[in-house]
Amino acid sequence: MSRVYRIAVVGGDGIGPEVTREALKVLRSLTAAGGPGFEIREYPFSADHFLATGETLPDGTLEEWEGYDAIYMGAFGDPRVPDMRHAADILLGTRFRMDLYANIRPVRCLDDALCPLKNRSAADIDIVFFRENTEGLYVGMGGNFKKGTADEVAIQEDVNTRKGVERIIRLAFEYARDSGRGKVLMSDKANVLTFGHDLWQRVFKEVSAEFPGIESSHMYVDALAMQLLRKPEQFEVVVTCNMFGDIVTDIGAALQGGLGMAASGNIRPVGTSMFEPVHGSAPKYAGKDYANPMGAILTAALMLDHLGEKEAARRVEEGVARCVRAGKTTADLGGQLGTAAVGDAVCADL
Ligand code: NAD
Ligand code: IPM
Ligand code: MN
């Protein structure tokens, strides 16, 4: 008998709940088609919930989630909460406090029609990004002095630890080795960030020496941004810090057909991991049955793969690819379907 996985789900804000609904629909179709089973528990944490109750991520939730096989989140961000307080607790809180140190963002283009580059095709775009997910500019160390005056000082610290840098770089090399990818590129801005990113340089050199079979190289992040658009085929595995990883994976999303196609996992090798599409809550599309759910569905596939359900993951990815090729897509990909109809099309394929 197939296994039953316990999944904690937070749809979140804006288009988050809508695309999450389609991803869950696909999981249920997989079960109906003889695949694994899922026991889903949905949580209301969102801007709505925060504004109504003052609660963001209640005490004890992360401890509860440790007992699940995976966590799945939609997206967060709401104009009524301009400082993103709820998202800082729910999204960044989960990443940091569960120590989900690897944000893995695969960038694959599923069809030539989605490739935005001149003289390139889908086959040229197949990169896995390893974004450090628990440090850097994201830790929230710093503050304001004389806030709101002409003399204001604002400081936001970039925190890089030996342990944090080493573990993400090592994971990228291990992934390259185990997946048969031949090269790892590390990207930083060590020419300017001469303390924090000098640490990245030294650690990268050390760890790469442990993997003589894997070609290692380096590129400053400004050059990486340019090369991703010029010659994406040169990249296989890219490892970088939290902030640069955030930015270059949106470029990666554009190479896949847009933010509506991009999937991500917030991973730690041992324990419960969390999965979410790369895109945000896109408030202007909320409630309009307009958002592309494929990134959310591919995120579910990434979760299945992580859980060891390789065959189910492959079926979902192939289902999405077939729908793309058949034009069963939302408007961002040139199609005419709504969010729910795309979910239905992927389910029908399964
Ligand atoms: P966004 O990703 O929400 O949207 C940017 C643009 O990308 C949209 O206007 C739309 O054109 C396109 N897009 C994104 N997802 C799409 C989809 N599924 N289908 C079709 N088109 C899609 O980014 P933003 O506008 O910069 O931010 C909106 C809010 O989301 C902000 O509050 C931001 O902080 C938040 N955000 C959250 C996450 C997250 O929860 N992981 C990620 C990014 C942004
Ligand atoms: C992402 C988002 C988040 C990030 C925001 C919403 C905190 O942009 O997941 O890419 O910067 O990590
Ligand atoms: Mn982002």
Side-chain angles (χ1 to χ4, degrees):
M1 209 181 92
S2 287
R3 247 200 89 171
V4 174
Y5 295 95
R6 296 184 71 216
I7 316 288
V9 173
V10 191
D13 305 324
I15 63 169
E18 296 168 51
V19 297
T20 298
R21 197 175 304 131
E22 301 314 309
L24 297 182
K25 213 192 243 176
V26 168
L27 291 180
R28 286 191 203 98
S29 290
L30 262 183
T31 309
F38 302 95
E39 190 187 314
I40 307 286
R41 164 106 191 259
E42 295 199 52
Y43 292 78
F45 312 139
S46 59
D48 275 343
H49 184 76
F50 171 59
L51 291 169
T53 66
E55 187 176 75
T56 54
L57 186 72
D59 286 347
T61 307
L62 295 178
E63 290 74 12
E64 191 175 308
W65 287 350
E66 293 283 359
Y68 281 75
D69 293 298
I71 305 159
Y72 185 99
M73 292 188 183
F76 301 91
D78 186 302
R80 294 169 301 166
V81 190
D83 62 358
M84 287 280 276
R85 228 200 89 192
H86 68 304
D89 287 356
I90 304 166
L91 181 66
L92 298 179
T94 301
R95 289 180 188 170
F96 289 164
R97 291 168 58 202
M98 291 187 97
D99 206 25
L100 307 176
Y101 69 83
N103 188 197
I104 300 180
R105 298 186 158 181
V107 171
R108 271 202 306 135
C109 187
L110 296 179
D111 188 54
D112 288 345
L114 300 186
C115 176
L117 304 179
K118 201 161 66 177
N119 302 326
R120 291 289 181 285
S121 64
D124 294 315
I125 296 162
D126 184 6
I127 312 168
V128 181
F129 286 90
F130 281 70
R131 168 191 179 191
E132 201 294 317
N133 212 26
T134 52
E135 301 193 344
L137 284 162
Y138 278 70
V139 301
M141 284 175 71
N144 298 83
F145 178 53
K146 298 187 180 176
K147 190 171 179 177
T149 74
D151 297 321
E152 176 161 356
V153 179
I155 292 177
Q156 189 107 29
E157 300 282 3
D158 182 22
V159 175
N160 298 271
T161 70
R162 167 80 209 195
K163 176 182 143 193
V165 174
E166 185 174 333
R167 65 184 181 176
I168 189 70
I169 289 175
R170 177 162 284 112
L171 197 68
F173 274 101
E174 286 169 354
Y175 173 82
R177 180 193 63 202
D178 300 342
S179 65
R181 287 173 184 250
K183 359 184 216 183
V184 175
L185 177 131
M186 189 273 280
S187 189
D188 61 28
K189 191 73 185 167
N191 46 352
V192 177
L193 305 177
T194 45
F195 307 116
H197 286 195
D198 177 66
L199 175 64
W200 278 79
Q201 294 264 329
R202 285 180 280 121
V203 173
F204 185 66
K205 215 165 160 191
E206 275 178 44
V207 176
S208 64
E210 296 171 28
F211 295 85
I214 309 282
E215 189 186 320
S216 62
S217 61
H218 170 264
M219 212 175 261
Y220 294 124
V221 71
D222 43 355
L224 171 64
M226 185 267 295
Q227 286 295 339
L228 281 168
L229 301 180
R230 278 177 61 85
K231 279 180 76 180
E233 67 275 15
Q234 69 188 291
F235 303 109
E236 296 189 14
V237 175
V238 174
V239 61
T240 190
C241 67
N242 207 341
M243 179 56 86
F244 296 163
D246 178 44
I247 297 165
V248 296
T249 57
D250 265 32
I251 298 177
L255 296 175
Q256 292 173 275
L259 273 169
M261 294 302 289
S264 100
N266 299 269
I267 309 284
R268 54 180 173 172
V270 178
T272 310
S273 291
M274 186 269 274
F275 299 82
E276 49 162 347
V278 173
H279 65 72
S281 57
K284 67 180 177 196
Y285 296 148
K288 297 208 164 91
D289 193 40
Y290 180 91
N292 182 355
M294 284 175 164
I297 294 169
L298 292 168
T299 295
L302 209 57
M303 178 177 80
L304 290 165
D305 187 79
H306 182 79
L307 291 170
E309 296 288 342
K310 309 279 174 198
E311 169 64 16
R314 200 182 51 76
R315 282 174 67 186
V316 173
E317 280 169 13
E318 287 178 355
V320 170
R322 269 191 294 272
C323 287
V324 168
R325 284 195 291 273
K328 295 175 183 170
T329 57
T330 42
D332 54 318
L333 301 191
Q336 292 177 344
L337 300 184
T339 308
V342 168
D344 291 341
V346 176
C347 290
D349 183 279
L350 294 173

mmCIF file of all heavy atoms in Angstrom, residues 15 19 75-78 84 91 95 259-260 276-285 291-292 332, ligand 1:
data_model
loop_
_atom_site.group_PDB
_atom_site.id
_atom_site.type_symbol
_atom_site.label_atom_id
_atom_site.label_comp_id
_atom_site.label_asym_id
_atom_site.label_seq_id
_atom_site.Cartn_x
_atom_site.Cartn_y
_atom_site.Cartn_z
ATOM 1 N N ILE A 15 -2.933 35.742 -4.143
ATOM 2 C CA ILE A 15 -3.142 34.549 -4.978
ATOM 3 C C ILE A 15 -2.661 33.271 -4.286
ATOM 4 O O ILE A 15 -2.878 32.175 -4.809
ATOM 5 C CB ILE A 15 -2.427 34.681 -6.346
ATOM 6 C CG1 ILE A 15 -0.895 34.780 -6.158
ATOM 7 C CG2 ILE A 15 -2.959 35.872 -7.134
ATOM 8 C CD1 ILE A 15 -0.096 34.657 -7.455
ATOM 9 N N VAL A 19 -3.580 29.438 -5.754
ATOM 10 C CA VAL A 19 -2.639 28.515 -6.411
ATOM 11 C C VAL A 19 -2.403 27.281 -5.533
ATOM 12 O O VAL A 19 -2.211 26.174 -6.042
ATOM 13 C CB VAL A 19 -1.305 29.211 -6.793
ATOM 14 C CG1 VAL A 19 -1.555 30.311 -7.813
ATOM 15 C CG2 VAL A 19 -0.553 29.752 -5.596
ATOM 16 N N ALA A 75 1.711 32.105 -0.566
ATOM 17 C CA ALA A 75 2.480 33.353 -0.648
ATOM 18 C C ALA A 75 1.954 34.316 0.400
ATOM 19 O O ALA A 75 0.806 34.195 0.836
ATOM 20 C CB ALA A 75 2.346 33.963 -2.040
ATOM 21 N N PHE A 76 2.796 35.285 0.773
ATOM 22 C CA PHE A 76 2.415 36.279 1.781
ATOM 23 C C PHE A 76 2.711 37.676 1.267
ATOM 24 O O PHE A 76 3.642 37.883 0.499
ATOM 25 C CB PHE A 76 3.167 36.018 3.093
ATOM 26 C CG PHE A 76 2.875 34.646 3.633
ATOM 27 C CD1 PHE A 76 3.671 33.561 3.288
ATOM 28 C CD2 PHE A 76 1.755 34.434 4.425
ATOM 29 C CE1 PHE A 76 3.373 32.291 3.742
ATOM 30 C CE2 PHE A 76 1.447 33.169 4.885
ATOM 31 C CZ PHE A 76 2.259 32.090 4.544
ATOM 32 N N GLY A 77 1.938 38.628 1.754
ATOM 33 C CA GLY A 77 2.119 40.019 1.349
ATOM 34 C C GLY A 77 0.762 40.628 1.095
ATOM 35 O O GLY A 77 -0.041 40.082 0.333
ATOM 36 N N ASP A 78 0.488 41.731 1.809
ATOM 37 C CA ASP A 78 -0.820 42.355 1.714
ATOM 38 C C ASP A 78 -0.623 43.845 1.946
ATOM 39 O O ASP A 78 0.041 44.226 2.915
ATOM 40 C CB ASP A 78 -1.736 41.748 2.792
ATOM 41 C CG ASP A 78 -3.168 42.236 2.675
ATOM 42 O OD1 ASP A 78 -3.383 43.462 2.733
ATOM 43 O OD2 ASP A 78 -4.064 41.394 2.520
ATOM 44 N N MET A 84 4.985 44.037 6.413
ATOM 45 C CA MET A 84 5.090 42.566 6.232
ATOM 46 C C MET A 84 5.327 41.846 7.568
ATOM 47 O O MET A 84 5.987 40.796 7.594
ATOM 48 C CB MET A 84 6.237 42.219 5.273
ATOM 49 C CG MET A 84 5.972 42.534 3.822
ATOM 50 S SD MET A 84 4.964 41.298 2.985
ATOM 51 C CE MET A 84 6.190 40.089 2.514
ATOM 52 N N LEU A 91 6.712 33.350 7.295
ATOM 53 C CA LEU A 91 7.580 32.832 6.230
ATOM 54 C C LEU A 91 9.049 32.814 6.662
ATOM 55 O O LEU A 91 9.682 31.749 6.734
ATOM 56 C CB LEU A 91 7.393 33.696 4.979
ATOM 57 C CG LEU A 91 8.199 33.310 3.755
ATOM 58 C CD1 LEU A 91 7.751 31.955 3.242
ATOM 59 C CD2 LEU A 91 8.026 34.349 2.646
ATOM 60 N N ARG A 95 11.494 29.692 7.993
ATOM 61 C CA ARG A 95 12.813 29.420 7.398
ATOM 62 C C ARG A 95 13.915 29.453 8.464
ATOM 63 O O ARG A 95 14.763 28.556 8.522
ATOM 64 C CB ARG A 95 13.136 30.466 6.327
ATOM 65 C CG ARG A 95 12.317 30.352 5.054
ATOM 66 C CD ARG A 95 12.742 31.463 4.090
ATOM 67 N NE ARG A 95 11.876 31.532 2.909
ATOM 68 C CZ ARG A 95 11.913 32.516 2.022
ATOM 69 N NH1 ARG A 95 12.754 33.520 2.172
ATOM 70 N NH2 ARG A 95 11.107 32.513 0.977
ATOM 71 N N LEU A 259 7.341 34.291 -13.287
ATOM 72 C CA LEU A 259 7.231 33.916 -11.873
ATOM 73 C C LEU A 259 6.160 32.856 -11.648
ATOM 74 O O LEU A 259 6.245 32.079 -10.686
ATOM 75 C CB LEU A 259 6.924 35.160 -11.032
ATOM 76 C CG LEU A 259 8.150 35.946 -10.578
ATOM 77 C CD1 LEU A 259 7.732 37.292 -10.004
ATOM 78 C CD2 LEU A 259 8.940 35.149 -9.545
ATOM 79 N N GLY A 260 5.185 32.800 -12.517
ATOM 80 C CA GLY A 260 4.123 31.796 -12.375
ATOM 81 C C GLY A 260 4.584 30.371 -12.599
ATOM 82 O O GLY A 260 3.814 29.427 -12.379
ATOM 83 N N GLU A 276 7.353 26.196 -1.255
ATOM 84 C CA GLU A 276 6.536 27.362 -1.653
ATOM 85 C C GLU A 276 6.942 27.794 -3.047
ATOM 86 O O GLU A 276 8.111 27.713 -3.410
ATOM 87 C CB GLU A 276 6.755 28.526 -0.673
ATOM 88 C CG GLU A 276 8.219 28.763 -0.443
ATOM 89 C CD GLU A 276 8.601 30.118 0.142
ATOM 90 O OE1 GLU A 276 7.760 31.012 0.170
ATOM 91 O OE2 GLU A 276 9.772 30.250 0.518
ATOM 92 N N PRO A 277 5.987 28.272 -3.838
ATOM 93 C CA PRO A 277 6.382 28.836 -5.129
ATOM 94 C C PRO A 277 7.247 30.072 -4.921
ATOM 95 O O PRO A 277 7.234 30.670 -3.850
ATOM 96 C CB PRO A 277 5.054 29.190 -5.799
ATOM 97 C CG PRO A 277 4.024 29.178 -4.724
ATOM 98 C CD PRO A 277 4.534 28.305 -3.633
ATOM 99 N N VAL A 278 7.998 30.457 -5.967
ATOM 100 C CA VAL A 278 8.916 31.603 -5.845
ATOM 101 C C VAL A 278 8.150 32.930 -5.829
ATOM 102 O O VAL A 278 8.562 33.883 -5.188
ATOM 103 C CB VAL A 278 9.945 31.571 -7.007
ATOM 104 C CG1 VAL A 278 10.809 32.832 -7.012
ATOM 105 C CG2 VAL A 278 10.825 30.322 -6.900
ATOM 106 N N HIS A 279 7.017 32.949 -6.503
ATOM 107 C CA HIS A 279 6.301 34.224 -6.632
ATOM 108 C C HIS A 279 5.658 34.666 -5.321
ATOM 109 O O HIS A 279 5.534 33.901 -4.364
ATOM 110 C CB HIS A 279 5.224 34.131 -7.722
ATOM 111 C CG HIS A 279 4.107 33.157 -7.418
ATOM 112 N ND1 HIS A 279 3.150 33.396 -6.469
ATOM 113 C CD2 HIS A 279 3.807 31.947 -7.958
ATOM 114 C CE1 HIS A 279 2.294 32.387 -6.446
ATOM 115 N NE2 HIS A 279 2.678 31.482 -7.322
ATOM 116 N N GLY A 280 5.208 35.939 -5.315
ATOM 117 C CA GLY A 280 4.546 36.486 -4.150
ATOM 118 C C GLY A 280 3.032 36.432 -4.279
ATOM 119 O O GLY A 280 2.486 35.635 -5.050
ATOM 120 N N SER A 281 2.376 37.304 -3.533
ATOM 121 C CA SER A 281 0.913 37.243 -3.412
ATOM 122 C C SER A 281 0.190 37.963 -4.557
ATOM 123 O O SER A 281 -1.042 37.911 -4.627
ATOM 124 C CB SER A 281 0.497 37.866 -2.079
ATOM 125 O OG SER A 281 0.979 39.205 -2.010
ATOM 126 N N ALA A 282 0.952 38.633 -5.435
ATOM 127 C CA ALA A 282 0.390 39.342 -6.609
ATOM 128 C C ALA A 282 -1.006 39.892 -6.332
ATOM 129 O O ALA A 282 -1.980 39.484 -6.970
ATOM 130 C CB ALA A 282 0.391 38.414 -7.838
ATOM 131 N N PRO A 283 -1.136 40.832 -5.397
ATOM 132 C CA PRO A 283 -2.471 41.273 -4.948
ATOM 133 C C PRO A 283 -3.402 41.690 -6.089
ATOM 134 O O PRO A 283 -4.610 41.478 -5.998
ATOM 135 C CB PRO A 283 -2.169 42.471 -4.036
ATOM 136 C CG PRO A 283 -0.741 42.335 -3.650
ATOM 137 C CD PRO A 283 -0.052 41.565 -4.724
ATOM 138 N N LYS A 284 -2.820 42.220 -7.164
ATOM 139 C CA LYS A 284 -3.710 42.708 -8.240
ATOM 140 C C LYS A 284 -4.454 41.561 -8.936
ATOM 141 O O LYS A 284 -5.469 41.790 -9.592
ATOM 142 C CB LYS A 284 -2.932 43.556 -9.249
ATOM 143 C CG LYS A 284 -1.904 42.800 -10.067
ATOM 144 C CD LYS A 284 -1.170 43.729 -11.049
ATOM 145 C CE LYS A 284 -0.100 42.952 -11.798
ATOM 146 N NZ LYS A 284 0.886 43.763 -12.477
ATOM 147 N N TYR A 285 -3.957 40.351 -8.802
ATOM 148 C CA TYR A 285 -4.632 39.207 -9.434
ATOM 149 C C TYR A 285 -5.468 38.382 -8.444
ATOM 150 O O TYR A 285 -6.110 37.405 -8.840
ATOM 151 C CB TYR A 285 -3.612 38.267 -10.087
ATOM 152 C CG TYR A 285 -2.834 38.892 -11.226
ATOM 153 C CD1 TYR A 285 -1.516 38.514 -11.473
ATOM 154 C CD2 TYR A 285 -3.418 39.840 -12.065
ATOM 155 C CE1 TYR A 285 -0.790 39.079 -12.519
ATOM 156 C CE2 TYR A 285 -2.701 40.415 -13.107
ATOM 157 C CZ TYR A 285 -1.392 40.025 -13.327
ATOM 158 O OH TYR A 285 -0.680 40.575 -14.361
ATOM 159 N N ALA A 291 -4.260 33.920 -11.789
ATOM 160 C CA ALA A 291 -2.870 33.531 -11.498
ATOM 161 C C ALA A 291 -2.543 32.161 -12.074
ATOM 162 O O ALA A 291 -3.384 31.244 -12.078
ATOM 163 C CB ALA A 291 -2.641 33.527 -9.990
ATOM 164 N N ASN A 292 -1.318 32.026 -12.516
ATOM 165 C CA ASN A 292 -0.813 30.745 -13.006
ATOM 166 C C ASN A 292 -0.501 29.830 -11.808
ATOM 167 O O ASN A 292 0.337 30.185 -10.979
ATOM 168 C CB ASN A 292 0.460 31.020 -13.822
ATOM 169 C CG ASN A 292 1.048 29.774 -14.433
ATOM 170 O OD1 ASN A 292 0.572 28.669 -14.187
ATOM 171 N ND2 ASN A 292 2.086 29.955 -15.225
ATOM 172 N N ASP A 332 -0.573 34.590 -18.661
ATOM 173 C CA ASP A 332 0.856 34.950 -18.598
ATOM 174 C C ASP A 332 1.676 34.084 -19.548
ATOM 175 O O ASP A 332 2.734 34.489 -20.008
ATOM 176 C CB ASP A 332 1.391 34.829 -17.157
ATOM 177 C CG ASP A 332 1.129 33.471 -16.551
ATOM 178 O OD1 ASP A 332 0.017 32.932 -16.742
ATOM 179 O OD2 ASP A 332 2.034 32.913 -15.905
HETATM 180 P P1 NAD B 1 4.773 38.993 -7.021
HETATM 181 O O1 NAD B 1 5.548 37.765 -7.269
HETATM 182 O O2 NAD B 1 3.600 38.867 -6.143
HETATM 183 O O3 NAD B 1 4.263 39.557 -8.413
HETATM 184 C C1 NAD B 1 5.094 40.214 -9.364
HETATM 185 C C2 NAD B 1 4.467 40.057 -10.752
HETATM 186 O O4 NAD B 1 4.765 38.758 -11.249
HETATM 187 C C3 NAD B 1 2.954 40.148 -10.765
HETATM 188 O O5 NAD B 1 2.497 41.426 -10.892
HETATM 189 C C4 NAD B 1 2.609 39.278 -11.955
HETATM 190 O O6 NAD B 1 2.741 40.027 -13.129
HETATM 191 C C5 NAD B 1 3.666 38.212 -11.916
HETATM 192 N N1 NAD B 1 3.214 36.991 -11.224
HETATM 193 C C6 NAD B 1 3.624 36.535 -10.010
HETATM 194 N N2 NAD B 1 3.058 35.368 -9.729
HETATM 195 C C7 NAD B 1 2.265 35.066 -10.770
HETATM 196 C C8 NAD B 1 1.404 33.973 -11.064
HETATM 197 N N3 NAD B 1 1.275 32.928 -10.237
HETATM 198 N N4 NAD B 1 0.726 34.004 -12.235
HETATM 199 C C9 NAD B 1 0.856 35.014 -13.091
HETATM 200 N N5 NAD B 1 1.664 36.068 -12.877
HETATM 201 C C10 NAD B 1 2.353 36.090 -11.715
HETATM 202 O O7 NAD B 1 5.784 40.104 -6.486
HETATM 203 P P2 NAD B 1 5.530 41.606 -5.976
HETATM 204 O O8 NAD B 1 4.458 42.250 -6.784
HETATM 205 O O9 NAD B 1 6.851 42.206 -5.929
HETATM 206 O O10 NAD B 1 5.027 41.433 -4.485
HETATM 207 C C11 NAD B 1 3.667 41.326 -4.076
HETATM 208 C C12 NAD B 1 3.643 40.944 -2.605
HETATM 209 O O11 NAD B 1 4.145 39.608 -2.449
HETATM 210 C C13 NAD B 1 4.557 41.820 -1.733
HETATM 211 O O12 NAD B 1 3.914 42.000 -0.500
HETATM 212 C C14 NAD B 1 5.814 40.997 -1.587
HETATM 213 O O13 NAD B 1 6.515 41.309 -0.425
HETATM 214 C C15 NAD B 1 5.235 39.608 -1.521
HETATM 215 N N6 NAD B 1 6.138 38.498 -1.907
HETATM 216 C C16 NAD B 1 5.985 37.339 -1.216
HETATM 217 C C17 NAD B 1 6.697 36.217 -1.567
HETATM 218 C C18 NAD B 1 6.484 34.941 -0.806
HETATM 219 O O14 NAD B 1 5.534 34.841 -0.040
HETATM 220 N N7 NAD B 1 7.290 33.935 -0.973
HETATM 221 C C19 NAD B 1 7.566 36.278 -2.669
HETATM 222 C C20 NAD B 1 7.709 37.472 -3.358
HETATM 223 C C21 NAD B 1 6.974 38.580 -2.992
#
